[in-house]
Amino acid sequence: MISIVLNDEVVTVSIGTSLVKVLEHQAIELDAVALALNAEVVPKSRWPHIVCQQDDKLDVFSVVAGG
Amino acid sequence: MLRIGDTEFSSRLFTGTGKFSQACDMLAAVSASQSQLVTLAVKRLDLKTGSDNILKPLQDSGVKLLPNTAGARNVKEAIFAAHLSREMLGTNWIKLEIHPDPKYLMPDPIETLAAARILCEQGYVVLPYVHADPVLCRRLEEVGCAAVMPLGSPIGSNQGLATEPFLKIIIEQSNVPVVIDAGIGAPSQATRAMELGADAVLVNTAIASSADPVAMGRCFAQAVATGRTAYLAGLGVICQQANNTSPLTGFLNV
């Protein structure tokens, strides 16, 4: 197991867990979010192919109402 | 028809989605306003409460989405926000707003121009929110912005067109659409903006904070359409002296 930081919360995942699996484990709706890994935006097409590393910082964003 | 980038709009009223008490009120007000372009913000997802769930109904309604970079304090953060929203929404349209000062939310012109240049080079359709600065608006046009969005008065202040003399200069000089953004607090002020020759206005607080957002959305739709028609018809010249509208025949001088 490794630990990553997901939106400022420490989360433990299995070694070899892809970004998309992290989101699925959190029941996050995939088509309504964007993802940054260590402050770099990751295109959705890459989510299944990138594997989490120890201490990775993952930030998930969604749209909210705004002017 | 108003054209920005490759998109035509039959409505010249753009609306924000913030500050409504409920999502259903926002959706109903947007519909009543006949707005075809609505703004949204990007925020870090709260894993406990989930998302706002406003995206799907807005997409289903057929309006074009204009994500903003609100919260960005500098070039780097604005570009990051633009990249996030493009990934999330599949749009290269971005309302560029960089306002580090939380009290007055004045847009930072230096950071905005620098970010606009980079985002235009990256293929974004950039609509920058700026102070009513005619020189800055020209510079933003030169770097490739699809429109400029000068403020009437501070965001959410309902003070109306405090910058009117400068908006007139911007409208006169601009070769890209001018969208008056921020501070429009009443339909009459939207009419005034359109009478000046603005291409569109963006309204959020005045509709969202109304006791009846649907009615207010409808009022703004009418106000914007009226102002546009008046502009095209041509306003009368303002004179210091009176000019008689009835013949002065002097027949009463008996």
mmCIF file of all heavy atoms in Angstrom, chain B residues 179-230:
data_model
loop_
_atom_site.group_PDB
_atom_site.id
_atom_site.type_symbol
_atom_site.label_atom_id
_atom_site.label_comp_id
_atom_site.label_asym_id
_atom_site.label_seq_id
_atom_site.Cartn_x
_atom_site.Cartn_y
_atom_site.Cartn_z
ATOM 1 N N VAL B 179 -18.197 43.567 -24.075
ATOM 2 C CA VAL B 179 -19.220 43.038 -23.175
ATOM 3 C C VAL B 179 -19.061 43.755 -21.832
ATOM 4 O O VAL B 179 -18.012 43.638 -21.197
ATOM 5 C CB VAL B 179 -19.050 41.511 -22.973
ATOM 6 C CG1 VAL B 179 -20.157 40.971 -22.074
ATOM 7 C CG2 VAL B 179 -19.004 40.784 -24.300
ATOM 8 N N ILE B 180 -20.068 44.514 -21.441
ATOM 9 C CA ILE B 180 -19.962 45.211 -20.160
ATOM 10 C C ILE B 180 -20.258 44.214 -19.048
ATOM 11 O O ILE B 180 -21.355 43.648 -18.976
ATOM 12 C CB ILE B 180 -20.932 46.414 -20.057
ATOM 13 C CG1 ILE B 180 -20.842 47.293 -21.311
ATOM 14 C CG2 ILE B 180 -20.652 47.206 -18.787
ATOM 15 C CD1 ILE B 180 -19.495 47.879 -21.601
ATOM 16 N N ASP B 181 -19.271 44.018 -18.210
ATOM 17 C CA ASP B 181 -19.350 42.992 -17.181
ATOM 18 C C ASP B 181 -19.198 43.660 -15.827
ATOM 19 O O ASP B 181 -18.350 44.518 -15.660
ATOM 20 C CB ASP B 181 -18.218 41.982 -17.411
ATOM 21 C CG ASP B 181 -18.224 40.857 -16.398
ATOM 22 O OD1 ASP B 181 -19.209 40.719 -15.667
ATOM 23 O OD2 ASP B 181 -17.234 40.115 -16.358
ATOM 24 N N ALA B 182 -19.976 43.260 -14.902
ATOM 25 C CA ALA B 182 -19.838 43.629 -13.490
ATOM 26 C C ALA B 182 -20.471 44.971 -13.159
ATOM 27 O O ALA B 182 -20.286 45.959 -13.854
ATOM 28 C CB ALA B 182 -18.381 43.651 -13.048
ATOM 29 N N GLY B 183 -21.245 44.937 -12.093
ATOM 30 C CA GLY B 183 -21.799 46.155 -11.512
ATOM 31 C C GLY B 183 -23.157 46.552 -12.031
ATOM 32 O O GLY B 183 -23.789 47.447 -11.473
ATOM 33 N N ILE B 184 -23.625 45.927 -13.097
ATOM 34 C CA ILE B 184 -24.941 46.298 -13.624
ATOM 35 C C ILE B 184 -26.002 45.776 -12.650
ATOM 36 O O ILE B 184 -26.148 44.572 -12.464
ATOM 37 C CB ILE B 184 -25.149 45.742 -15.050
ATOM 38 C CG1 ILE B 184 -24.207 46.471 -16.014
ATOM 39 C CG2 ILE B 184 -26.607 45.901 -15.484
ATOM 40 C CD1 ILE B 184 -24.298 45.998 -17.450
ATOM 41 N N GLY B 185 -26.712 46.713 -12.030
ATOM 42 C CA GLY B 185 -27.612 46.335 -10.948
ATOM 43 C C GLY B 185 -29.081 46.455 -11.275
ATOM 44 O O GLY B 185 -29.926 46.021 -10.497
ATOM 45 N N ALA B 186 -29.400 47.045 -12.413
ATOM 46 C CA ALA B 186 -30.810 47.262 -12.758
ATOM 47 C C ALA B 186 -30.981 47.143 -14.266
ATOM 48 O O ALA B 186 -30.067 47.459 -15.027
ATOM 49 C CB ALA B 186 -31.260 48.650 -12.308
ATOM 50 N N PRO B 187 -32.133 46.696 -14.709
ATOM 51 C CA PRO B 187 -32.364 46.602 -16.156
ATOM 52 C C PRO B 187 -32.098 47.920 -16.887
ATOM 53 O O PRO B 187 -31.582 47.921 -18.001
ATOM 54 C CB PRO B 187 -33.833 46.177 -16.242
ATOM 55 C CG PRO B 187 -34.069 45.415 -14.976
ATOM 56 C CD PRO B 187 -33.254 46.121 -13.933
ATOM 57 N N SER B 188 -32.452 49.047 -16.255
ATOM 58 C CA SER B 188 -32.229 50.340 -16.906
ATOM 59 C C SER B 188 -30.748 50.570 -17.189
ATOM 60 O O SER B 188 -30.376 51.200 -18.187
ATOM 61 C CB SER B 188 -32.776 51.473 -16.040
ATOM 62 O OG SER B 188 -32.205 51.427 -14.748
ATOM 63 N N GLN B 189 -29.897 50.054 -16.310
ATOM 64 C CA GLN B 189 -28.454 50.207 -16.527
ATOM 65 C C GLN B 189 -27.981 49.329 -17.688
ATOM 66 O O GLN B 189 -27.070 49.708 -18.432
ATOM 67 C CB GLN B 189 -27.700 49.860 -15.237
ATOM 68 C CG GLN B 189 -27.997 50.838 -14.106
ATOM 69 C CD GLN B 189 -27.654 50.287 -12.735
ATOM 70 O OE1 GLN B 189 -27.229 49.142 -12.593
ATOM 71 N NE2 GLN B 189 -27.843 51.113 -11.716
ATOM 72 N N ALA B 190 -28.594 48.179 -17.824
ATOM 73 C CA ALA B 190 -28.264 47.325 -18.977
ATOM 74 C C ALA B 190 -28.711 48.000 -20.268
ATOM 75 O O ALA B 190 -28.005 47.969 -21.278
ATOM 76 C CB ALA B 190 -28.939 45.958 -18.818
ATOM 77 N N THR B 191 -29.889 48.601 -20.222
ATOM 78 C CA THR B 191 -30.366 49.343 -21.396
ATOM 79 C C THR B 191 -29.364 50.443 -21.757
ATOM 80 O O THR B 191 -29.010 50.610 -22.931
ATOM 81 C CB THR B 191 -31.742 49.986 -21.118
ATOM 82 O OG1 THR B 191 -32.658 48.959 -20.771
ATOM 83 C CG2 THR B 191 -32.256 50.731 -22.328
ATOM 84 N N ARG B 192 -28.923 51.167 -20.747
ATOM 85 C CA ARG B 192 -27.974 52.258 -20.973
ATOM 86 C C ARG B 192 -26.687 51.730 -21.630
ATOM 87 O O ARG B 192 -26.177 52.326 -22.580
ATOM 88 C CB ARG B 192 -27.659 52.958 -19.655
ATOM 89 C CG ARG B 192 -26.657 54.076 -19.762
ATOM 90 C CD ARG B 192 -27.167 55.216 -20.621
ATOM 91 N NE ARG B 192 -26.177 56.265 -20.788
ATOM 92 C CZ ARG B 192 -26.173 57.128 -21.803
ATOM 93 N NH1 ARG B 192 -27.114 57.074 -22.742
ATOM 94 N NH2 ARG B 192 -25.260 58.053 -21.884
ATOM 95 N N ALA B 193 -26.189 50.615 -21.105
ATOM 96 C CA ALA B 193 -24.967 50.035 -21.678
ATOM 97 C C ALA B 193 -25.166 49.712 -23.158
ATOM 98 O O ALA B 193 -24.298 49.983 -23.989
ATOM 99 C CB ALA B 193 -24.567 48.774 -20.905
ATOM 100 N N MET B 194 -26.316 49.162 -23.480
ATOM 101 C CA MET B 194 -26.587 48.796 -24.869
ATOM 102 C C MET B 194 -26.800 50.039 -25.731
ATOM 103 O O MET B 194 -26.410 50.069 -26.902
ATOM 104 C CB MET B 194 -27.801 47.873 -24.955
ATOM 105 C CG MET B 194 -27.631 46.541 -24.234
ATOM 106 S SD MET B 194 -26.147 45.610 -24.678
ATOM 107 C CE MET B 194 -26.516 45.217 -26.376
ATOM 108 N N GLU B 195 -27.432 51.074 -25.155
ATOM 109 C CA GLU B 195 -27.618 52.324 -25.893
ATOM 110 C C GLU B 195 -26.280 52.960 -26.251
ATOM 111 O O GLU B 195 -26.152 53.634 -27.278
ATOM 112 C CB GLU B 195 -28.434 53.318 -25.054
ATOM 113 C CG GLU B 195 -29.911 52.983 -24.954
ATOM 114 C CD GLU B 195 -30.629 53.870 -23.960
ATOM 115 O OE1 GLU B 195 -29.963 54.585 -23.180
ATOM 116 O OE2 GLU B 195 -31.872 53.841 -23.939
ATOM 117 N N LEU B 196 -25.282 52.746 -25.392
ATOM 118 C CA LEU B 196 -23.947 53.289 -25.667
ATOM 119 C C LEU B 196 -23.276 52.577 -26.836
ATOM 120 O O LEU B 196 -22.275 53.048 -27.359
ATOM 121 C CB LEU B 196 -23.052 53.144 -24.430
ATOM 122 C CG LEU B 196 -23.437 53.922 -23.175
ATOM 123 C CD1 LEU B 196 -22.470 53.584 -22.045
ATOM 124 C CD2 LEU B 196 -23.426 55.418 -23.455
ATOM 125 N N GLY B 197 -23.788 51.392 -27.164
ATOM 126 C CA GLY B 197 -23.200 50.635 -28.259
ATOM 127 C C GLY B 197 -22.437 49.403 -27.815
ATOM 128 O O GLY B 197 -21.727 48.790 -28.622
ATOM 129 N N ALA B 198 -22.585 49.034 -26.540
ATOM 130 C CA ALA B 198 -21.974 47.782 -26.088
ATOM 131 C C ALA B 198 -22.543 46.633 -26.913
ATOM 132 O O ALA B 198 -23.699 46.682 -27.356
ATOM 133 C CB ALA B 198 -22.255 47.548 -24.610
ATOM 134 N N ASP B 199 -21.737 45.609 -27.126
ATOM 135 C CA ASP B 199 -22.214 44.459 -27.905
ATOM 136 C C ASP B 199 -23.038 43.501 -27.064
ATOM 137 O O ASP B 199 -23.874 42.777 -27.603
ATOM 138 C CB ASP B 199 -21.006 43.739 -28.520
ATOM 139 C CG ASP B 199 -20.323 44.619 -29.544
ATOM 140 O OD1 ASP B 199 -20.824 44.708 -30.668
ATOM 141 O OD2 ASP B 199 -19.311 45.268 -29.197
ATOM 142 N N ALA B 200 -22.774 43.488 -25.759
ATOM 143 C CA ALA B 200 -23.517 42.615 -24.852
ATOM 144 C C ALA B 200 -23.235 43.064 -23.422
ATOM 145 O O ALA B 200 -22.331 43.872 -23.184
ATOM 146 C CB ALA B 200 -23.096 41.151 -25.040
ATOM 147 N N VAL B 201 -24.020 42.533 -22.506
ATOM 148 C CA VAL B 201 -23.745 42.753 -21.083
ATOM 149 C C VAL B 201 -23.769 41.404 -20.380
ATOM 150 O O VAL B 201 -24.424 40.462 -20.834
ATOM 151 C CB VAL B 201 -24.766 43.701 -20.407
ATOM 152 C CG1 VAL B 201 -24.735 45.086 -21.028
ATOM 153 C CG2 VAL B 201 -26.180 43.133 -20.459
ATOM 154 N N LEU B 202 -23.025 41.337 -19.289
ATOM 155 C CA LEU B 202 -23.046 40.132 -18.461
ATOM 156 C C LEU B 202 -23.619 40.508 -17.099
ATOM 157 O O LEU B 202 -23.128 41.425 -16.449
ATOM 158 C CB LEU B 202 -21.642 39.541 -18.317
ATOM 159 C CG LEU B 202 -21.564 38.079 -17.858
ATOM 160 C CD1 LEU B 202 -20.206 37.483 -18.203
ATOM 161 C CD2 LEU B 202 -21.842 37.858 -16.394
ATOM 162 N N VAL B 203 -24.661 39.818 -16.694
ATOM 163 C CA VAL B 203 -25.358 40.137 -15.446
ATOM 164 C C VAL B 203 -25.435 38.880 -14.581
ATOM 165 O O VAL B 203 -25.753 37.800 -15.081
ATOM 166 C CB VAL B 203 -26.786 40.656 -15.735
ATOM 167 C CG1 VAL B 203 -27.520 40.967 -14.432
ATOM 168 C CG2 VAL B 203 -26.743 41.892 -16.630
ATOM 169 N N ASN B 204 -25.128 39.033 -13.317
ATOM 170 C CA ASN B 204 -25.294 37.918 -12.388
ATOM 171 C C ASN B 204 -26.041 38.346 -11.127
ATOM 172 O O ASN B 204 -27.201 38.006 -10.912
ATOM 173 C CB ASN B 204 -23.917 37.329 -12.031
ATOM 174 C CG ASN B 204 -23.986 36.015 -11.251
ATOM 175 O OD1 ASN B 204 -23.068 35.225 -11.291
ATOM 176 N ND2 ASN B 204 -25.069 35.733 -10.540
ATOM 177 N N THR B 205 -25.379 39.173 -10.316
ATOM 178 C CA THR B 205 -25.936 39.508 -9.000
ATOM 179 C C THR B 205 -27.335 40.108 -9.080
ATOM 180 O O THR B 205 -28.217 39.751 -8.284
ATOM 181 C CB THR B 205 -24.991 40.485 -8.280
ATOM 182 O OG1 THR B 205 -23.729 39.846 -8.118
ATOM 183 C CG2 THR B 205 -25.535 40.889 -6.908
ATOM 184 N N ALA B 206 -27.547 41.000 -10.022
ATOM 185 C CA ALA B 206 -28.834 41.706 -10.086
ATOM 186 C C ALA B 206 -29.987 40.732 -10.311
ATOM 187 O O ALA B 206 -31.096 40.950 -9.813
ATOM 188 C CB ALA B 206 -28.806 42.754 -11.193
ATOM 189 N N ILE B 207 -29.726 39.673 -11.044
ATOM 190 C CA ILE B 207 -30.765 38.666 -11.262
ATOM 191 C C ILE B 207 -30.820 37.707 -10.063
ATOM 192 O O ILE B 207 -31.884 37.450 -9.509
ATOM 193 C CB ILE B 207 -30.514 37.882 -12.574
ATOM 194 C CG1 ILE B 207 -30.585 38.832 -13.786
ATOM 195 C CG2 ILE B 207 -31.504 36.736 -12.728
ATOM 196 C CD1 ILE B 207 -30.212 38.193 -15.110
ATOM 197 N N ALA B 208 -29.645 37.224 -9.666
ATOM 198 C CA ALA B 208 -29.595 36.179 -8.629
ATOM 199 C C ALA B 208 -30.098 36.668 -7.285
ATOM 200 O O ALA B 208 -30.696 35.901 -6.524
ATOM 201 C CB ALA B 208 -28.166 35.656 -8.490
ATOM 202 N N SER B 209 -29.845 37.929 -6.954
ATOM 203 C CA SER B 209 -30.219 38.430 -5.633
ATOM 204 C C SER B 209 -31.614 39.060 -5.626
ATOM 205 O O SER B 209 -32.081 39.543 -4.595
ATOM 206 C CB SER B 209 -29.180 39.433 -5.127
ATOM 207 O OG SER B 209 -29.109 40.537 -5.987
ATOM 208 N N SER B 210 -32.274 39.031 -6.764
ATOM 209 C CA SER B 210 -33.646 39.546 -6.811
ATOM 210 C C SER B 210 -34.582 38.616 -6.035
ATOM 211 O O SER B 210 -34.351 37.409 -5.942
ATOM 212 C CB SER B 210 -34.083 39.624 -8.281
ATOM 213 O OG SER B 210 -35.479 39.746 -8.371
ATOM 214 N N ALA B 211 -35.650 39.182 -5.515
ATOM 215 C CA ALA B 211 -36.643 38.347 -4.828
ATOM 216 C C ALA B 211 -37.338 37.413 -5.818
ATOM 217 O O ALA B 211 -37.852 36.358 -5.437
ATOM 218 C CB ALA B 211 -37.670 39.232 -4.134
ATOM 219 N N ASP B 212 -37.346 37.802 -7.087
ATOM 220 C CA ASP B 212 -37.957 36.974 -8.130
ATOM 221 C C ASP B 212 -36.992 36.904 -9.311
ATOM 222 O O ASP B 212 -37.098 37.666 -10.275
ATOM 223 C CB ASP B 212 -39.292 37.597 -8.563
ATOM 224 C CG ASP B 212 -40.071 36.695 -9.519
ATOM 225 O OD1 ASP B 212 -39.455 35.766 -10.088
ATOM 226 O OD2 ASP B 212 -41.275 36.921 -9.702
ATOM 227 N N PRO B 213 -36.028 35.991 -9.233
ATOM 228 C CA PRO B 213 -34.985 35.931 -10.267
ATOM 229 C C PRO B 213 -35.534 35.667 -11.675
ATOM 230 O O PRO B 213 -34.967 36.151 -12.658
ATOM 231 C CB PRO B 213 -34.089 34.782 -9.812
ATOM 232 C CG PRO B 213 -34.388 34.599 -8.373
ATOM 233 C CD PRO B 213 -35.814 34.999 -8.183
ATOM 234 N N VAL B 214 -36.606 34.911 -11.755
ATOM 235 C CA VAL B 214 -37.174 34.617 -13.078
ATOM 236 C C VAL B 214 -37.724 35.897 -13.712
ATOM 237 O O VAL B 214 -37.448 36.200 -14.884
ATOM 238 C CB VAL B 214 -38.266 33.532 -12.973
ATOM 239 C CG1 VAL B 214 -39.021 33.395 -14.288
ATOM 240 C CG2 VAL B 214 -37.641 32.201 -12.581
ATOM 241 N N ALA B 215 -38.486 36.653 -12.926
ATOM 242 C CA ALA B 215 -39.022 37.916 -13.447
ATOM 243 C C ALA B 215 -37.894 38.871 -13.802
ATOM 244 O O ALA B 215 -37.933 39.549 -14.834
ATOM 245 C CB ALA B 215 -39.952 38.554 -12.414
ATOM 246 N N MET B 216 -36.858 38.909 -12.947
ATOM 247 C CA MET B 216 -35.751 39.825 -13.210
ATOM 248 C C MET B 216 -34.962 39.388 -14.445
ATOM 249 O O MET B 216 -34.501 40.229 -15.225
ATOM 250 C CB MET B 216 -34.844 39.921 -11.980
ATOM 251 C CG MET B 216 -33.811 41.026 -12.060
ATOM 252 S SD MET B 216 -34.545 42.670 -12.279
ATOM 253 C CE MET B 216 -34.925 43.096 -10.600
ATOM 254 N N GLY B 217 -34.824 38.091 -14.626
ATOM 255 C CA GLY B 217 -34.162 37.605 -15.840
ATOM 256 C C GLY B 217 -34.905 38.051 -17.082
ATOM 257 O O GLY B 217 -34.306 38.484 -18.079
ATOM 258 N N ARG B 218 -36.214 37.975 -17.014
ATOM 259 C CA ARG B 218 -37.049 38.406 -18.141
ATOM 260 C C ARG B 218 -36.904 39.922 -18.356
ATOM 261 O O ARG B 218 -36.792 40.380 -19.492
ATOM 262 C CB ARG B 218 -38.508 38.042 -17.839
ATOM 263 C CG ARG B 218 -39.402 37.968 -19.058
ATOM 264 C CD ARG B 218 -40.815 37.522 -18.664
ATOM 265 N NE ARG B 218 -40.843 36.212 -18.042
ATOM 266 C CZ ARG B 218 -41.369 35.938 -16.846
ATOM 267 N NH1 ARG B 218 -41.905 36.901 -16.124
ATOM 268 N NH2 ARG B 218 -41.361 34.716 -16.373
ATOM 269 N N CYS B 219 -36.871 40.674 -17.270
ATOM 270 C CA CYS B 219 -36.704 42.136 -17.373
ATOM 271 C C CYS B 219 -35.390 42.486 -18.062
ATOM 272 O O CYS B 219 -35.342 43.386 -18.916
ATOM 273 C CB CYS B 219 -36.705 42.777 -15.979
ATOM 274 S SG CYS B 219 -38.297 42.786 -15.175
ATOM 275 N N PHE B 220 -34.329 41.788 -17.689
ATOM 276 C CA PHE B 220 -33.031 42.084 -18.300
ATOM 277 C C PHE B 220 -33.027 41.734 -19.788
ATOM 278 O O PHE B 220 -32.416 42.431 -20.594
ATOM 279 C CB PHE B 220 -31.909 41.363 -17.549
ATOM 280 C CG PHE B 220 -31.307 42.209 -16.455
ATOM 281 C CD1 PHE B 220 -31.693 42.045 -15.139
ATOM 282 C CD2 PHE B 220 -30.372 43.192 -16.744
ATOM 283 C CE1 PHE B 220 -31.165 42.837 -14.130
ATOM 284 C CE2 PHE B 220 -29.830 43.996 -15.748
ATOM 285 C CZ PHE B 220 -30.227 43.813 -14.433
ATOM 286 N N ALA B 221 -33.719 40.660 -20.141
ATOM 287 C CA ALA B 221 -33.801 40.303 -21.562
ATOM 288 C C ALA B 221 -34.449 41.436 -22.345
ATOM 289 O O ALA B 221 -33.958 41.850 -23.414
ATOM 290 C CB ALA B 221 -34.606 39.006 -21.724
ATOM 291 N N GLN B 222 -35.531 41.955 -21.810
ATOM 292 C CA GLN B 222 -36.239 43.059 -22.487
ATOM 293 C C GLN B 222 -35.374 44.313 -22.508
ATOM 294 O O GLN B 222 -35.314 45.028 -23.514
ATOM 295 C CB GLN B 222 -37.564 43.338 -21.771
ATOM 296 C CG GLN B 222 -38.567 42.198 -21.885
ATOM 297 C CD GLN B 222 -39.738 42.347 -20.904
ATOM 298 O OE1 GLN B 222 -39.729 43.204 -20.042
ATOM 299 N NE2 GLN B 222 -40.728 41.481 -21.049
ATOM 300 N N ALA B 223 -34.707 44.580 -21.384
ATOM 301 C CA ALA B 223 -33.896 45.801 -21.261
ATOM 302 C C ALA B 223 -32.750 45.800 -22.273
ATOM 303 O O ALA B 223 -32.466 46.828 -22.906
ATOM 304 C CB ALA B 223 -33.345 45.906 -19.836
ATOM 305 N N VAL B 224 -32.114 44.642 -22.404
ATOM 306 C CA VAL B 224 -30.980 44.547 -23.325
ATOM 307 C C VAL B 224 -31.469 44.687 -24.773
ATOM 308 O O VAL B 224 -30.863 45.394 -25.584
ATOM 309 C CB VAL B 224 -30.219 43.222 -23.101
ATOM 310 C CG1 VAL B 224 -29.227 42.949 -24.217
ATOM 311 C CG2 VAL B 224 -29.503 43.263 -21.753
ATOM 312 N N ALA B 225 -32.563 44.025 -25.079
ATOM 313 C CA ALA B 225 -33.108 44.112 -26.445
ATOM 314 C C ALA B 225 -33.523 45.551 -26.770
ATOM 315 O O ALA B 225 -33.255 46.061 -27.872
ATOM 316 C CB ALA B 225 -34.297 43.165 -26.587
ATOM 317 N N THR B 226 -34.144 46.227 -25.803
ATOM 318 C CA THR B 226 -34.569 47.612 -26.014
ATOM 319 C C THR B 226 -33.366 48.528 -26.235
ATOM 320 O O THR B 226 -33.355 49.359 -27.152
ATOM 321 C CB THR B 226 -35.379 48.104 -24.787
ATOM 322 O OG1 THR B 226 -36.555 47.317 -24.686
ATOM 323 C CG2 THR B 226 -35.757 49.569 -24.916
ATOM 324 N N GLY B 227 -32.358 48.368 -25.398
ATOM 325 C CA GLY B 227 -31.165 49.204 -25.531
ATOM 326 C C GLY B 227 -30.479 48.999 -26.864
ATOM 327 O O GLY B 227 -30.009 49.962 -27.496
ATOM 328 N N ARG B 228 -30.437 47.768 -27.310
ATOM 329 C CA ARG B 228 -29.800 47.477 -28.611
ATOM 330 C C ARG B 228 -30.582 48.125 -29.755
ATOM 331 O O ARG B 228 -30.002 48.726 -30.664
ATOM 332 C CB ARG B 228 -29.728 45.958 -28.810
ATOM 333 C CG ARG B 228 -29.118 45.526 -30.131
ATOM 334 C CD ARG B 228 -27.674 45.953 -30.243
ATOM 335 N NE ARG B 228 -27.106 45.586 -31.531
ATOM 336 C CZ ARG B 228 -25.889 45.926 -31.928
ATOM 337 N NH1 ARG B 228 -25.105 46.663 -31.139
ATOM 338 N NH2 ARG B 228 -25.430 45.566 -33.099
ATOM 339 N N THR B 229 -31.905 47.969 -29.686
ATOM 340 C CA THR B 229 -32.742 48.559 -30.736
ATOM 341 C C THR B 229 -32.585 50.084 -30.753
ATOM 342 O O THR B 229 -32.487 50.702 -31.820
ATOM 343 C CB THR B 229 -34.222 48.185 -30.515
ATOM 344 O OG1 THR B 229 -34.315 46.769 -30.440
ATOM 345 C CG2 THR B 229 -35.095 48.679 -31.651
ATOM 346 N N ALA B 230 -32.538 50.683 -29.574
ATOM 347 C CA ALA B 230 -32.381 52.137 -29.483
ATOM 348 C C ALA B 230 -31.041 52.573 -30.055
ATOM 349 O O ALA B 230 -30.948 53.585 -30.766
ATOM 350 C CB ALA B 230 -32.501 52.575 -28.028
#
